[in-house]
Amino acid sequence: MAHVQRTHKRLWTLAVASLAILTVGLAGCSTKTKTTASYKIKENKVGLTTDQIKKNLDVNILSTRQDKQKSLTATYKAAAENKDYTFDNPYVKINPYGSSPLSALVTFTTDDAVKVSYTVVGKTDHTSITNTVKGGYTTSHQVPVVGLYADTNNTVKITETTKNGKTTTKTLRMQTGALPKYVKNATITVTNKDKDKMSIGKNKLTILNRTTKQPMAVDADGAVRWYDTNYSQHMIEQWSNGHIMILSKKGVDSDVYNDLLETDYLGRVYKEYSFSAKTSSSDAGSISKAAAKANSETTVIHHDLVELPNHNLLATVSDGSKYKEDTMIEVDHNTGKIVKVIDMKKILPKSMYKDYKKGADGKIDWLHQNAIDYDKNDKSIVISTRNQDMIMKMDYKTKHIKWIYSGKKKSSWPKAYRKYVLTPTKGTTITGGQHGLYLLNNGNGAKASSEDFMLYDNNIAVTNGNKKTSGKYSQAVQYHVNTKNMTIKQTWAYGKSLGKTNFTNVIGYAEKQPNGNVLIDFGYKDGGNESNVIEVTKSGKQVFNLTMKNAGSKAYAYRAYRVLFYDSAYQFDATK
């Protein structure tokens, strides 16, 4: 969800794959920088056409869930306009849309224009959640309350402030129910806790974005303070308007995750993007035959989603061919139509995929793209590809490759690509099976030739990783790319000292916090039996160490985000 750096992800746009000539070149670092010479190579004629891919994915906008919520929204609209509900006698509805049990909606009117804030009182220090309602000074108030405790008679304080600074506080009690099975059974313990040094502010929680089951968020004590009853897979991202995007399925008993929901922390659905199940597949095929056989759930988005500057969606998908997880699509946020496609088979050398073995599911998972980010500085995209142990950057519009980094020797690349292979400085880690690549200083005026990014290095040599260190540890790593000299330098890392105990061959994430700390998700620890989320300072001191066990099948933490609950851009309004 828009992590401040990346939760909230990044914005992108892709280029339609054409059957013409692909120019692979290093785009200029800025409008003032002279562009280097480009090599022209023939685009690989492999896979499906753009039209076939669009047809296979067949994205549409549905109104099924919104229609089911219409009567509820009408009720809340009437309550917001009812002057009988006052500051002293407000309308209160816990779990207003039936899918977010630890939230509530409070509405009332006031005679004078006031601004409103609320606090869900925490059980210990630094666990209270405080938010100010967007909208400024008004007489009609709709307060979306998030961060309640489960199975608790919560204390919630509502404060009104007049334009001359006078404040009045009303205390409400809100009783919630018990947690559901797959949230309750996820045993959470927290150690090495230093709340004063954690990056939690007045309204931040840690989202445990699980591979399946209900997504949830916990406070500094590890107490669950939010969850959504819709099962999600891989996808829970915060949008620029404060809404969240969740990849879910038609129902709890469904096998295919092909419903992308634009919702909020109260559970109101604003849009529902439906993907055809034709391209869905399981990641179990790339792990083991036994896992593939045991797993019946499939998904259509693997494994990332970002919001482009034009608010369209950029998603990593499979194209419906014998290959999987090597395609990106841009979806129009208004119509649901696919407006652009990038097929990486047409861009990267054929040698990478022509002889790659099929997985247990019969698909060729040669690339396994698991992360994308859009660079607002130079309108490019960066991607992470697990099964090539490779990260790369390319111009969003032209698809010119800007740089590539992997353990694959420069001399083994086709000649046209060699110019863009980065040279690591001494001591720089070669990634293996890495996840969660995203840019730092994105859109903050940083020079395009000075690029820094964070990723989670699983450190498993799939094809081009470091075989000497593979499997010995996993770590969060920060890199700096010098595009002028075409070098890459490791500038920070944490995890090596934890050794094999925290090695994870799949999934994981690392997120840099505003105070310089890094939140790291060792999500598949002990073969997926537990997830370990650690927040460390720049010097490597742990200030938060969370372990989640017994979460259920595929209920481990795919990613962990430290998120504002809620973003300042968010406003609930039942009248709209």
Side-chain angles (χ1 to χ4, degrees), residues 134-263:
K134 185 179 179 181
Y137 296 91
T138 63
T139 58
S140 179
H141 309 281
Q142 301 176 67
V143 185
V145 176
V146 295
L148 301 175
Y149 289 93
D151 202 15
T152 299
N153 191 15
N154 290 266
T155 300
V156 180
K157 295 183 177 181
I158 308 290
T159 299
E160 61 174 14
T161 304
T162 65
K163 290 181 179 179
N164 62 12
K166 180 182 178 181
T167 62
T168 307
T169 299
K170 166 78 174 178
T171 299
L172 302 175
R173 305 293 294 196
M174 298 185 186
Q175 179 65 50
T176 55
L179 296 171
K181 176 182 176 181
Y182 289 116
V183 178
K184 183 179 181 180
N185 289 354
T187 305
I188 294 174
T189 56
V190 175
T191 60
N192 297 349
K193 186 168 50 180
D194 189 341
K195 296 178 185 178
D196 288 327
K197 293 183 180 178
M198 289 175 63
S199 180
I200 49 178
K202 66 177 183 178
N203 64 347
K204 286 187 177 182
L205 298 175
T206 302
I207 284 186
L208 300 177
N209 175 8
R210 305 203 282 177
T211 297
T212 60
K213 308 299 188 288
Q214 302 95 330
M216 60 186 186
V218 300
D219 63 17
D221 292 333
V224 176
R225 305 293 292 275
W226 174 84
Y227 69 93
D228 193 300
T229 59
N230 291 299
Y231 281 27
S232 71
Q233 185 167 85
H234 294 152
M235 218 59 56
I236 176 166
E237 298 294 336
Q238 189 167 316
W239 240 228
S240 60
N241 57 7
H243 294 170
I244 53 176
M245 305 295 289
I246 296 179
L247 181 65
S248 191
K249 46 188 182 177
K250 302 297 182 186
V252 171
D253 296 325
S254 301
D255 285 334
V256 184
Y257 287 84
N258 61 340
D259 269 17
L260 181 63
L261 310 178
E262 180 182 347
T263 182

Side-chain angles (χ1 to χ4, degrees), residues 384 386 389-391 405 428-437 454-462 465-466 469-479 490 492-496 502-510 520-522:
S384 164
R386 177 188 186 272
D389 305 314
M390 182 183 73
I391 54 181
Y405 184 52
T428 295
T429 297
I430 295 171
T431 62
Q434 73 292 323
H435 282 72
L437 167 66
M454 178 77 67
L455 58 74
Y456 179 82
D457 179 22
N458 295 79
N459 190 29
I460 177 170
V462 184
N466 188 335
T469 64
S470 179
K472 294 183 178 180
Y473 59 87
S474 297
Q475 62 180 353
V477 188
Q478 182 174 324
Y479 292 96
Q490 178 176 316
W492 183 89
Y494 180 84
K496 186 176 182 178
N502 274 57
F503 167 73
T504 62
N505 63 319
V506 295
I507 72 176
Y509 198 71
I520 311 168
D521 171 38
F522 299 89

Side-chain angles (χ1 to χ4, degrees), residues 227-475:
Y227 69 93
D228 193 300
T229 59
N230 291 299
Y231 281 27
S232 71
Q233 185 167 85
H234 294 152
M235 218 59 56
I236 176 166
E237 298 294 336
Q238 189 167 316
W239 240 228
S240 60
N241 57 7
H243 294 170
I244 53 176
M245 305 295 289
I246 296 179
L247 181 65
S248 191
K249 46 188 182 177
K250 302 297 182 186
V252 171
D253 296 325
S254 301
D255 285 334
V256 184
Y257 287 84
N258 61 340
D259 269 17
L260 181 63
L261 310 178
E262 180 182 347
T263 182
D264 63 18
Y265 293 121
L266 295 191
R268 182 179 179 181
V269 176
Y270 298 88
K271 272 194 176 72
E272 181 178 0
Y273 301 87
S274 176
F275 290 69
S276 167
K278 188 173 182 179
T279 67
S280 66
S281 61
S282 169
D283 286 333
S286 63
I287 300 173
S288 70
K289 289 185 178 180
K293 185 177 180 180
N295 178 58
S296 61
E297 292 183 321
T298 59
T299 184
V300 295
I301 299 181
H302 310 267
H303 301 260
D304 213 352
L305 178 77
V306 295
E307 180 183 16
L308 295 165
N310 60 4
H311 305 300
N312 285 354
L313 329 174
L314 180 60
T316 56
V317 298
S318 297
D319 61 9
S321 70
K322 65 181 180 180
Y323 301 98
K324 71 176 187 178
E325 302 186 37
D326 60 4
T327 304
M328 291 173 276
I329 58 170
E330 180 187 351
V331 179
D332 187 288
H333 73 290
N334 288 317
T335 66
K337 300 302 180 184
I338 299 174
V339 295
K340 294 189 179 181
V341 174
I342 287 183
D343 182 351
M344 295 303 293
K345 293 185 292 295
K346 293 178 169 64
I347 295 172
L348 290 170
K350 282 186 178 181
S351 57
M352 285 186 169
Y353 52 82
K354 68 177 183 178
D355 296 321
Y356 206 92
K357 292 182 180 180
K358 291 181 179 180
D361 59 356
K363 296 286 187 178
I364 301 173
D365 191 14
W366 67 281
L367 194 69
H368 198 98
Q369 185 180 344
N370 57 35
I372 49 175
D373 200 2
Y374 179 85
D375 191 343
K376 291 177 280 188
N377 293 313
D378 62 358
K379 300 178 182 179
S380 297
I381 58 174
V382 289
I383 68 172
S384 164
T385 66
R386 177 188 186 272
N387 287 354
Q388 291 296 327
D389 305 314
M390 182 183 73
I391 54 181
M392 65 180 289
K393 187 174 188 181
M394 57 193 294
D395 185 276
Y396 159 70
K397 184 177 181 180
T398 65
K399 292 180 287 185
H400 290 182
I401 294 175
K402 292 197 167 190
W403 52 255
I404 299 171
Y405 184 52
S406 78
K408 184 180 175 71
K409 291 182 179 180
K410 186 179 292 189
S411 59
S412 65
W413 285 88
K415 196 171 184 179
Y417 295 84
R418 294 175 193 171
K419 191 177 186 68
Y420 312 107
V421 177
L422 298 174
T423 300
T425 61
K426 186 178 180 180
T428 295
T429 297
I430 295 171
T431 62
Q434 73 292 323
H435 282 72
L437 167 66
Y438 78 96
L439 293 158
L440 304 172
N441 305 315
N442 195 351
N444 296 330
K447 294 180 181 178
S449 60
S450 178
E451 304 178 358
D452 296 271
F453 60 91
M454 178 77 67
L455 58 74
Y456 179 82
D457 179 22
N458 295 79
N459 190 29
I460 177 170
V462 184
T463 53
N464 300 301
N466 188 335
K467 291 180 173 59
K468 291 182 179 180
T469 64
S470 179
K472 294 183 178 180
Y473 59 87
S474 297
Q475 62 180 353

